[in-house]
Amino acid sequence: MRVLAEVHARDGYPVIWPDRPGEWLSRGPLLGSWVAELEGRLVGHVSLSQGGEGDLAPMLWSERNGATRGMTAVVSRLFVAPQARGHRIGALLIGRAVEEARRRGLHPVLDVVASDAAAAALYERLGWELMATVEQQWSLHQTVAISCYAAPS
């Protein structure tokens, strides 16, 4: 939670700080979660899960490919400690989640807040395809632009 708090303070991720960060990291139908260490310190995290309510990318990918949402896996909860950036940790974590999704016969997808340019740049460097950017209602007073990506085939 310390690393997540550092990322939130610096980058604003997650956009809405969860009441229970530990539960936020592990909620949903998880297929796996991985952490990264650098010099004996925890510096990153990623999760892989089945799509849930509010996940737009599984729906977009399934519509485009004539498949069911159940044929996707959502890469989420990716963050890297600010002091550990520049070591390809984010790419390695994504690679591990993608490897697990493919091992299960699932296509990796993800949703990201459109204003997170650094995350979008990472996904695009790794060959992920932007499927769409859509508005999503997060509360009565908050609408957020979400970019939906699919991993390369």
Side-chain angles (χ1 to χ4, degrees), residues 3 6 15 17 19 28 30 36-37 42 49 56 58 64 70 72 76 78 94 104-105 110 114 132 143 152:
V3 175
E6 290 173 12
V15 173
W17 182 255
D19 292 333
L30 282 180
E37 290 184 0
L42 183 71
S49 63
L56 302 171
R64 285 182 171 200
T72 63
S76 63
L78 173 66
I94 290 170
R104 293 171 176 261
L110 60 84
T143 301

Side-chain angles (χ1 to χ4, degrees), residues 18 26 32 39 46 48 68-69 72 79-80 84 89 99 126 130 132 141 152:
S26 61
E39 299 173 359
V46 70
L48 184 71
T68 66
R69 289 176 55 140
T72 63
F79 57 92
V80 175
I89 293 168
E99 178 184 303
L126 295 174
L130 175 62
H141 307 290

